[in-house]
Amino acid sequence: MTTVGILGGGQLARMLALAGAPLGVRFLVVDSLADACASQVAPLLQADWRDFDALERFAGRIDVATFDFENVPAETAQWLTEHTAVYPNPRALAVSQDRLAEKTLFREIGLGTPAFAAVDSREDLARALETIGFPAVLKTRRLGYDGKGQFRLRSAGDIDAAWAALGPAPLILEAFVPFERELSVIAVRSREGEFRAYPLTQNWHADGILSMSLAPAPDSAALADEAYALARRIAEKLDYVGTFALELFVHQGRLLGNEMAPRVHNSGHWTIEGAPCSQFENHVRAVLGLPLGDTTALGVNVMFNWIGELPESAPVLAEPRAHWHDYGKAPRAGRKVGHATLCAFTAEEMRDRLARVAWALGREDQAAPVLRALG
Amino acid sequence: MTTVGILGGGQLARMLALAGAPLGVRFLVVDSLADACASQVAPLLQADWRDFDALERFAGRIDVATFDFENVPAETAQWLTEHTAVYPNPRALAVSQDRLAEKTLFREIGLGTPAFAAVDSREDLARALETIGFPAVLKTRRLGYDGKGQFRLRSAGDIDAAWAALGPAPLILEAFVPFERELSVIAVRSREGEFRAYPLTQNWHADGILSMSLAPAPDSAALADEAYALARRIAEKLDYVGTFALELFVHQGRLLGNEMAPRVHNSGHWTIEGAPCSQFENHVRAVLGLPLGDTTALGVNVMFNWIGELPESAPVLAEPRAHWHDYGKAPRAGRKVGHATLCAFTAEEMRDRLARVAWALGREDQAAPVLRALG
């Protein structure tokens, strides 16, 4: 009997546990919330991540530790490596926790990024804007996700408001890039260094939160090999083990690095039904040293993200090859509470299915860009 | 939040809970064993099925009750209907608990069966053998499964041994039918009477226990419509709600009824990956009154049953589109401890995959009849 410990008990932990159970794997989740949604499908150890007594009990009950959230305190990740096997390793977490380190890594392995500069003071900010120009985006270097911790600067008149909103803190200023589209690579690397990637996913955000994904991304064959090679170089540089996501912008036909998530990723949820082995099962396989699974896409797949509250499920459930995922979380503005995946054999079949579901749910606006991308 | 209660906490309950969790459904399992394997993925109420105080707590915590085992005492099922919604209804359970009632129902709806006769005494047995002839099979009418409670009679010299083995108890004598093959229909009926069936599955048994399944069953198109119509008539006659299996023999090209299982069924495990909506998810949808899901087969699917103990998983995990299911049960002779499903787009691809996996596991004998059926 093998037990995987997961730091964080949200929907990613929940889907990891559901994917790992058929492999005979048991899970133990640590979360400070008694109602963490993963606790509906796996045992929960309710504890703060800095409660080292609790972590000691945790480490004693598991064979390997992993994460459902990258913002685990560095000292927690480090402590764990001294008490159990930990995948991915804390260095991979640390790099992705700091936008400056992340973008620096991207440049090192040959992935272009928007122009960026470290900002530690109001003076740094003003100086960086002279080089980078407007519009630009000021971001916290740490603890940002789903568009949180970001401020857009359109002119010098925004400097004071931006600094007031985010400073003083370690920040990064990035050039605003009017990208043509957003893609992600979901990939997995084994303990032995084997690397596999799913077909590129195209993503659309709303209010900084992922709204829709389409996989395989249309007309992406020319970019795919380069994207895989970049993802592979990052994983090798970090000696990464497990599933991760590399978010990319396409600007003037070129790939730019946006960010890396050292975990299973929202834009890879379509792999549960749209690939023979999901990103979740592959993460479990990787951290346990099992053979990696098949990452090909079966047909065309579209994911709707449900933010804040769930729509009615019946119009989705009534559709052939449509899959509903309710994370068992209470509704709250801006919260990811579920998703739905539509699968089809062809883009044409998907257009019909997607249009019908979007209409039935009153979600035509959400689905519109995906319908356009499907041609 | 909807909670489904399941009487019985074995692998069927476990797979029901794993399939229902993405729908946001919670589960509560009742089983007398503290280590019932479903308890690894859902809360367990440890209690005997005749402990009505415990059942009262159970009924108070659930919205609907269902079963992972048909041999629930009739008074338990009846008591439950007075305290909560119960699907399938106790009458469907009762019919399938009694081989005589089951075969009588088959004849009523127009499904042929092997010749049979009720046997309540040694004299009944001798008399029934005069009509039915040898070889014949004496079976307990109740509580038989996986070949348990059966005795084969080859000549009059076996009568005393057969009666000593199974009598005195309500028994049934059935003519032995040298069938060409065994098929099953896995079907689901909704609370509103909608009926859907998966493509026919061909099955092979060893020592009375399911060993291999292949779906869709090759060359079964001519039989499929008749099989679906028969399954539908049975479901309508019983006002059945949920997933069920109808096991059939093919004898001289004709379908004969073997037995009906009022629950998700081992020969439908391939639907987890081989159909857009599995028999487990469809059962959960049906008992909750949700729309039924798509029951088409995606390509060609083969299931290996693991009896007694699990083989090594790596050769299966290393194969594309191969899926491992470890039920989290301790090894024990004759016990179903897991299964593996291989999926392929074509029969030719399946032959290669199946031969390779069987060889790697040293299971050539187990896989041989399926390879022959694949042509």
Side-chain angles (χ1 to χ4, degrees), chain B residues 197-327:
Chain B
Y198 294 90
L200 290 179
T201 304
Q202 183 163 354
N203 302 309
W204 291 266
H205 286 75
D207 299 324
I209 305 178
L210 184 67
S211 169
M212 301 286 299
S213 291
L214 166 62
D219 306 316
S220 61
L223 297 170
D225 285 345
E226 186 193 349
Y228 298 156
L230 292 164
R232 182 175 199 141
R233 260 176 261 153
I234 291 171
E236 289 175 353
K237 190 97 179 174
L238 296 173
D239 193 20
Y240 193 91
V241 172
T243 295
F244 67 99
L246 175 61
E247 295 182 34
L248 299 162
F249 294 136
V250 182
H251 180 232
Q252 300 176 340
R254 266 185 66 223
L255 294 175
L256 295 181
N258 178 30
E259 58 183 71
M260 182 216 175
R263 53 170 167 76
V264 290
H265 191 258
N266 200 165
S267 70
H269 290 359
W270 66 268
T271 63
I272 298 175
E273 297 91 3
C277 184
S278 74
Q279 64 165 352
F280 299 99
E281 181 174 339
N282 257 329
H283 185 72
V284 174
R285 290 187 185 208
V287 303
L288 291 176
L290 297 170
L292 297 184
D294 189 343
T295 54
T296 53
L298 302 166
V300 180
N301 307 279
V302 167
M303 184 204 66
F304 280 86
N305 235 13
W306 306 135
I307 310 298
E309 61 182 349
L310 294 168
E312 194 197 347
S313 65
V316 172
L317 293 175
E319 198 65 33
R321 304 190 65 208
H323 305 277
W324 188 257
H325 294 265
D326 172 348
Y327 304 150

Side-chain angles (χ1 to χ4, degrees), chain B residues 77-280:
Chain B
Q78 188 53 46
W79 184 94
L80 275 174
T81 60
E82 291 156 16
H83 293 77
T84 188
V86 179
Y87 298 108
N89 68 61
R91 194 162 66 91
L93 283 190
V95 166
S96 68
Q97 282 177 7
D98 182 340
R99 290 182 192 279
L100 187 66
E102 190 177 60
K103 290 242 164 25
T104 304
L105 171 68
F106 290 171
R107 294 269 177 106
E108 275 174 30
I109 59 98
L111 171 57
T113 68
F116 65 87
V119 169
D120 290 308
S121 65
R122 195 190 170 292
E123 291 67 42
D124 282 353
L125 176 57
R127 207 161 26 238
L129 280 164
E130 284 168 24
T131 318
I132 289 173
F134 295 93
V137 189
L138 185 66
K139 300 178 177 179
T140 54
R141 282 172 55 180
R142 308 179 68 82
L143 299 173
Y145 69 99
D146 285 348
K148 293 180 173 61
Q150 305 200 4
F151 198 102
R152 295 186 186 191
L153 292 109
R154 283 166 186 81
S155 71
D158 291 335
I159 293 178
D160 286 333
W163 182 252
L166 301 180
L171 303 175
I172 182 172
L173 184 74
E174 298 178 7
F176 170 78
V177 176
F179 55 82
E180 291 100 62
R181 51 181 181 152
E182 298 177 70
L183 300 176
S184 59
V185 188
I186 307 294
V188 59
R189 186 167 175 270
S190 76
R191 276 154 55 166
E192 290 74 33
E194 190 190 353
F195 175 89
R196 294 190 182 193
Y198 294 90
L200 290 179
T201 304
Q202 183 163 354
N203 302 309
W204 291 266
H205 286 75
D207 299 324
I209 305 178
L210 184 67
S211 169
M212 301 286 299
S213 291
L214 166 62
D219 306 316
S220 61
L223 297 170
D225 285 345
E226 186 193 349
Y228 298 156
L230 292 164
R232 182 175 199 141
R233 260 176 261 153
I234 291 171
E236 289 175 353
K237 190 97 179 174
L238 296 173
D239 193 20
Y240 193 91
V241 172
T243 295
F244 67 99
L246 175 61
E247 295 182 34
L248 299 162
F249 294 136
V250 182
H251 180 232
Q252 300 176 340
R254 266 185 66 223
L255 294 175
L256 295 181
N258 178 30
E259 58 183 71
M260 182 216 175
R263 53 170 167 76
V264 290
H265 191 258
N266 200 165
S267 70
H269 290 359
W270 66 268
T271 63
I272 298 175
E273 297 91 3
C277 184
S278 74
Q279 64 165 352
F280 299 99

Side-chain angles (χ1 to χ4, degrees), chain A residues 96-343:
Chain A
S96 68
Q97 281 178 6
D98 182 340
R99 292 183 191 280
L100 188 65
E102 189 176 59
K103 289 238 162 32
T104 304
L105 172 67
F106 289 171
R107 293 270 176 105
E108 276 172 29
I109 59 98
L111 171 58
T113 69
F116 65 88
V119 170
D120 291 308
S121 66
R122 194 191 170 291
E123 293 66 43
D124 283 352
L125 176 57
R127 203 159 32 233
L129 281 163
E130 284 168 23
T131 317
I132 289 172
F134 293 95
V137 189
L138 186 65
K139 301 178 176 178
T140 54
R141 282 173 53 181
R142 307 179 67 83
L143 299 175
Y145 69 97
D146 285 348
K148 293 180 173 64
Q150 305 201 3
F151 198 102
R152 296 185 186 193
L153 293 110
R154 283 166 187 81
S155 71
D158 290 335
I159 293 179
D160 286 334
W163 183 251
L166 300 181
L171 303 175
I172 183 173
L173 184 73
E174 298 178 7
F176 169 78
V177 176
F179 55 82
E180 291 101 60
R181 53 182 180 150
E182 298 176 70
L183 301 176
S184 57
V185 188
I186 307 294
V188 59
R189 186 168 175 271
S190 76
R191 277 153 55 167
E192 290 74 32
E194 190 191 353
F195 175 90
R196 294 189 181 192
Y198 294 90
L200 290 177
T201 304
Q202 183 162 355
N203 302 308
W204 291 266
H205 286 76
D207 299 325
I209 304 179
L210 185 66
S211 169
M212 301 286 296
S213 291
L214 166 62
D219 306 316
S220 62
L223 297 169
D225 285 345
E226 187 192 350
Y228 299 155
L230 291 163
R232 181 176 200 142
R233 260 176 261 154
I234 290 170
E236 288 175 354
K237 191 95 178 174
L238 296 172
D239 194 19
Y240 193 91
V241 173
T243 295
F244 67 99
L246 175 62
E247 295 183 34
L248 300 162
F249 295 137
V250 183
H251 181 233
Q252 299 175 342
R254 267 186 65 223
L255 294 175
L256 294 179
N258 179 31
E259 59 184 68
M260 182 215 174
R263 53 171 167 75
V264 289
H265 191 257
N266 199 164
S267 70
H269 289 0
W270 65 268
T271 62
I272 298 174
E273 297 91 4
C277 183
S278 75
Q279 64 166 349
F280 299 100
E281 182 175 340
N282 257 329
H283 185 71
V284 174
R285 290 186 183 208
V287 304
L288 291 177
L290 298 171
L292 297 183
D294 189 343
T295 54
T296 54
L298 303 166
V300 180
N301 307 278
V302 167
M303 185 205 65
F304 280 86
N305 235 11
W306 306 135
I307 310 297
E309 60 182 349
L310 294 169
E312 193 198 347
S313 66
V316 172
L317 294 175
E319 198 66 34
R321 303 189 66 205
H323 305 278
W324 188 257
H325 294 266
D326 172 347
Y327 305 150
K329 294 162 78 170
R332 192 167 75 202
R335 190 180 219 195
K336 292 175 176 175
V337 293
H339 76 270
T341 300
L342 309 184
C343 303

Side-chain angles (χ1 to χ4, degrees), chain A residues 3-9 26-31 43-49 51-68 72 76-77 79-81 83-86:
Chain A
T3 301
V4 173
I6 308 178
L7 277 87
R26 305 208 192 183
F27 292 86
L28 178 62
V29 169
V30 187
D31 200 292
L44 171 75
L45 180 69
Q46 192 187 350
D48 189 272
W49 290 335
D51 175 349
F52 291 93
D53 288 341
L55 288 176
E56 191 149 350
R57 292 198 303 279
F58 174 67
R61 288 171 57 188
I62 64 175
D63 299 288
V64 53
T66 190
F67 310 93
D68 105 322
V72 170
T76 301
W79 184 94
L80 275 174
T81 61
H83 294 76
T84 187
V86 180

Side-chain angles (χ1 to χ4, degrees), chain B residues 304-373:
Chain B
F304 280 86
N305 235 13
W306 306 135
I307 310 298
E309 61 182 349
L310 294 168
E312 194 197 347
S313 65
V316 172
L317 293 175
E319 198 65 33
R321 304 190 65 208
H323 305 277
W324 188 257
H325 294 265
D326 172 348
Y327 304 150
K329 293 162 79 171
R332 192 169 72 202
R335 189 179 218 193
K336 294 176 175 174
V337 293
H339 75 270
T341 300
L342 309 184
C343 303
F345 295 110
T346 63
E348 189 174 12
E349 188 189 6
M350 179 57 81
R351 278 198 304 273
D352 284 355
R353 186 158 297 164
L354 178 56
R356 201 159 47 230
V357 168
W359 180 83
L361 297 175
R363 298 277 185 153
E364 292 96 332
D365 290 353
Q366 187 175 354
V370 186
L371 282 167
R372 279 195 297 276

